[in-house]
Amino acid sequence: MFDSTLLEALRNARHLVVFTGAGVSAESGIPTFRDRLTGLWERFDAASLATAEAFRADPALVWGWYQWRRSIVHRAQPNPAHRAIAALANKVPRLTLITQNVDDLHERAGSHDVTHLHGQLERPRCFKCQREPDAPLPVPDESEAGRRVQPPTCLHCGGPLRPGVVWFGESLPVNAISHAFQAAEDCDLLISVGTSGVVYPAAEVPQVAWRAGATILHINPAPGPLHGERDFALASAAGNALPALLNSAFAEH
Ligand code: OAD
């Protein structure tokens, strides 16, 4: 079922980078951004929910929307794709996991040292002084999710807490993106899972790996065009493709 060159590339990988987007969590019931009908940015206006200006204008609206997203993630469970990625770490000498996702399903599936390029829902910080609260946020109450909710205030300066995610117009965490580019330069295989690849600079990560000579595998039910013999695609849902790939590459080895 899988191309033998691809299976060899996986078996022989010295450094594997797995680069994930919203599609890896879709089968856990977490909406993606750009899938028609179900994507968040098909249903909600990003400019009034995911920018610093929006938060300044209406903090309760923005906080409530992110509480709704937190409540979905809290109810969700990692799926076979997250688990297969965690299992892959034990099959190759080195695996770097880079995600654009703000959920914690990779961690809950057993992956360690996950690089979150776009921040994390569970890492809010003060909008004014940038400090993170000492205690984790309570799990959102179903009744407050999706309603206007005033954000909690910072115990140090009294400013409002903001979601710990990267909003449009903001820079990515410097350490995270430089770590991602270094790993992409160094890897011999990069598996891109469930991303539309349209948001920069994150979308450059596979491109950097490609230019550095790595083999690339895209796992996406709607893959884009391929660019050469080092470029592979599995047009399938991640929860099917990744466990099957892991099995084929390593079952008898
Ligand atoms: P998108 O919603 O843009 O793309 C999700 C991709 O996942 C699409 O290409 C789908 O075809 C694919 N997909 C859907 N179901 C899948 C499945 N079961 N298995 C595999 N793939 C599947 O999400 P991202 O590419 O992650 O940024 O979006 C990138 C960034 O845009 C996000 O991190 C977010 C958003 O604005 C910030 O919040 C800064």
Side-chain angles (χ1 to χ4, degrees):
M1 169 189 176
F2 296 107
D3 187 295
S4 60
T5 320
L6 173 64
L7 293 178
E8 281 307 304
L10 180 53
R11 282 189 201 115
N12 298 331
R14 173 186 51 81
H15 182 184
L16 167 65
V17 168
V18 180
F19 175 70
T20 65
V24 79
S25 296
E27 290 157 83
S28 294
I30 300 178
T32 62
F33 293 94
R34 295 176 184 81
D35 281 283
R36 290 181 78 189
L37 302 179
T38 56
L40 291 176
W41 298 151
E42 302 292 325
R43 293 185 284 152
F44 297 98
D45 174 28
S48 41
L49 292 165
T51 61
E53 295 70 40
F55 187 74
R56 227 171 261 122
D58 196 343
L61 174 75
V62 172
W63 188 260
W65 190 69
Y66 279 92
Q67 288 291 83
W68 169 68
R69 289 183 54 192
R70 284 185 67 224
S71 74
I72 295 173
V73 173
H74 271 280
R75 283 198 306 271
Q77 296 300 327
N79 67 53
H82 298 105
R83 287 196 288 273
I85 293 167
L88 263 176
N90 299 318
K91 304 285 184 193
V92 293
R94 184 168 172 213
L95 183 146
T96 302
L97 175 53
I98 301 163
T99 188
Q100 299 165 84
N101 297 347
V102 294
D103 66 51
D104 58 358
L105 295 185
H106 283 307
E107 286 88 346
R108 281 158 56 192
S111 287
H112 304 286
D113 300 326
V114 186
T115 297
H116 285 268
L117 293 180
H118 292 160
Q120 289 175 262
L121 284 173
E122 294 306 319
R123 299 278 302 271
R125 63 177 189 277
C126 177
F127 190 56
K128 268 198 195 156
C129 75
Q130 310 302 326
R131 274 188 235 174
E132 292 189 15
D134 298 330
L137 288 184
V139 176
D141 188 301
E142 294 273 328
S143 65
E144 78 176 43
R147 309 221 327 249
R148 272 193 157 69
V149 192
Q150 285 303 333
T153 47
C154 170
L155 292 181
H156 298 283
C157 79
L161 292 192
R162 58 159 283 174
V165 305
V166 176
W167 280 330
F168 288 99
E170 293 184 327
S171 303
L172 273 58
V174 176
N175 290 347
I177 189 69
S178 65
H179 179 65
F181 285 144
Q182 275 166 22
E185 285 275 354
D186 181 65
C187 72
D188 37 17
L189 174 64
L190 181 143
I191 305 181
S192 166
V193 188
T195 178
S196 56
V198 295
V199 174
Y200 284 81
E204 265 173 58
V205 172
Q207 296 169 7
V208 167
W210 171 256
R211 286 197 296 271
T215 298
I216 312 288
L217 167 63
H218 304 270
I219 298 179
N220 195 316
L226 298 179
H227 298 102
E229 60 179 20
R230 284 185 285 118
D231 212 5
F232 295 87
L234 297 177
S236 168
N240 293 332
L242 273 163
L245 179 67
L246 192 72
N247 248 331
S248 298
F250 298 108
E252 72 283 16
H253 288 258

